[in-house]
């Protein structure tokens, strides 16, 4: 006996399985991306000393960093050294995510970023950050475009 059209529609098929997988991968990428920003907020300050193992919590053995159009092939040790230099006068970094887009390959954040310095000053940026993750759920691409936040004009 053949199935009616309405019975056939209610059966899950390959298309719905793919959609479920894509949704689950998108959700996982969002979790990973938020975890990377949380990691940055915990570790990027002058009071910490980063180990290679700590950097490996979020980043792949080899990955690409692209800040403001520049391209760097990085590994865990070179990135650890870079972060150590960057954070030596930082009290901390804070992210205010304004918009998020994610798919099964990557996550994009539009955000305001504030870096607080040891002397009490602060640097404010607007940023777009694209993160891509490898099969081990580690950052394989960090592409960021950031600009100093315009100062509000006095009215």
């Amino acid at each position: 006996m053949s199935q009616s059209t309405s019975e056939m529609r209610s059966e899950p098929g390959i298309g719905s399985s793919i959609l479920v997988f894509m949704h689950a991968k998108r959700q996982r990428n969002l979790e990973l991306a938020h975890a990377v920003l949380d990691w940055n907020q915990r570790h990027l300050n002058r009071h910490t000393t980063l180990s290679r193992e700590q950097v490996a919590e979020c980043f792949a053995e080899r990955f690409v960093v692209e800040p403001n159009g520049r391209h760097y092939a990085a590994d865990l040790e070179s990135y650890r050294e870079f972060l150590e230099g960057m954070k030596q006068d930082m009290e901390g970094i804070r992210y205010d995510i304004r918009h998020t887009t994610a798919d099964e390959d990557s996550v994009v954040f539009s955000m305001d970023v504030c870096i607080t310095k040891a002397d009490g000053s602060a640097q404010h940026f607007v940023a777009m950050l694209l993160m891509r993750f490898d099969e081990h759920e580690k950052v394989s691409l960090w592409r960021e475009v950031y600009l100093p936040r315009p100062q509000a004009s006095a009215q």
Side-chain angles (χ1 to χ4, degrees), residues 31-134:
E31 291 170 10
L32 293 169
H34 282 284
V36 172
L37 296 186
D38 291 344
W39 185 94
N40 280 358
Q41 290 179 128
R42 285 192 320 275
H43 292 93
L44 297 186
N45 65 74
R46 65 190 180 104
H47 305 288
T48 63
T49 301
L50 290 172
S51 69
R52 187 179 187 281
E53 292 74 24
Q54 285 173 312
V55 177
E57 291 173 13
C58 294
F59 294 88
E61 186 68 37
R62 298 194 187 296
F63 60 101
V64 173
V65 180
E66 294 180 341
N68 281 353
R70 297 180 305 272
H71 178 93
Y72 301 100
D75 60 34
L76 293 173
E77 185 57 27
S78 66
Y79 200 57
R80 186 198 67 76
E81 290 173 5
F82 165 76
L83 293 175
E84 281 295 327
M86 182 185 82
K87 68 183 191 60
Q88 67 186 0
D89 69 340
M90 285 176 58
E91 285 299 319
I93 188 166
R94 191 176 67 249
Y95 301 100
D96 183 10
I97 298 169
R98 300 300 186 158
H99 185 80
T100 302
T101 301
D103 62 20
E104 62 276 5
D105 293 322
S106 56
V107 173
V108 177
F109 290 135
S110 171
M111 58 191 171
D112 294 330
V113 180
C114 178
I115 296 175
T116 307
K117 298 292 191 169
D119 66 5
S121 65
Q123 295 176 318
H124 298 271
F125 300 93
V126 292
M128 283 288 235
L129 171 62
L130 169 105
M131 279 186 270
R132 182 166 286 152
F133 300 94
D134 67 12

